Amino acid sequence: MSKIFTMCFIENNNHLLLQKSIKKPFEGLWNAPGGKVEVYESPMEACIREIQEETGLEINHPNFRGIITVTNVNKKSSDLLMLFHARDFSGDLRDSEEGEIAWIETENIYLYDNTPDSLTCLLPYILETESTITGKIIYSKKKMELFDVIL
């Protein structure tokens, strides 16, 4: 059975909020925060809740940016990833049990070797366009084999 996850790209003055994951499959990598949509919860509600739990921030009016199917060939499973973008937030930033949180200069993210390929592939679509996107990401043996997005 597929699961639904959220991912929120939170921007602030040419910086993006990233989280260093302590859990698989992205353990040790910096990625945009988010998490699983719970029963009786909309993706928007899940996004707002997950950001508050994982970062301490209250995001206001996150923009829905798209939906991606994420397939793991080895597990023969696909999940849905709901993408959001936010610039309006309040609160005090804090780390959580999910991992360390930091504001990273956006242009430097492309130079990091400790971010998932999927993050650097998604960034231009989220940060440089206003379009809603759809597409798919396919992983095999923990490696991204295909990234296909449509505006």
Side-chain angles (χ1 to χ4, degrees):
M1 183 172 156
S2 294
K3 295 177 185 163
I4 303 171
F5 294 90
T6 65
M7 176 182 275
C8 190
F9 295 81
I10 304 171
E11 258 189 296
N12 186 24
N13 298 324
N14 298 319
H15 287 75
L16 194 67
L17 187 63
L18 296 183
Q19 182 175 55
K20 188 174 184 181
S21 180
I22 60 170
K23 295 181 179 179
K24 293 181 181 182
F26 297 112
E27 182 178 8
L29 300 179
W30 290 90
N31 208 349
K36 187 177 173 189
V37 176
E38 300 294 339
V39 176
Y40 303 114
E41 194 174 45
S42 74
M44 179 75 72
E45 291 168 330
C47 177
I48 292 168
R49 175 187 52 77
E50 286 284 352
I51 295 306
Q52 197 286 320
E53 289 175 1
E54 294 182 8
T55 71
L57 298 181
E58 298 286 336
I59 54 174
N60 304 308
H61 315 291
N63 295 315
F64 174 71
R65 295 304 309 281
I67 183 168
I68 302 287
T69 302
V70 180
T71 300
N72 183 320
V73 173
N74 304 98
K75 294 182 180 179
K76 297 181 180 160
S77 67
S78 291
D79 295 320
L80 296 177
L81 180 60
M82 311 296 281
L83 304 171
F84 294 89
H85 183 214
R87 291 186 179 116
D88 183 13
F89 57 87
S90 60
D92 296 321
L93 196 62
R94 62 169 169 71
D95 296 337
S96 73
E97 62 187 32
E98 297 293 327
E100 179 184 348
I101 295 289
W103 290 106
I104 307 295
E105 194 168 351
T106 305
E107 65 184 42
N108 291 339
I109 294 170
Y110 296 102
L111 305 174
Y112 280 21
D113 60 358
N114 58 347
T115 57
D117 291 338
S118 55
L119 176 72
T120 53
C121 288
L122 283 169
L123 271 181
Y125 294 98
I126 301 298
L127 302 181
E128 298 171 19
T129 75
E130 294 296 323
S131 300
T132 301
I133 63 173
T134 187
K136 61 186 173 184
I137 299 173
I138 299 176
Y139 286 95
S140 178
K141 298 180 182 174
K142 298 184 181 182
K143 184 176 187 270
M144 188 174 71
E145 297 290 332
L146 177 71
F147 177 86
D148 183 24
V149 167
I150 301 168
L151 292 173

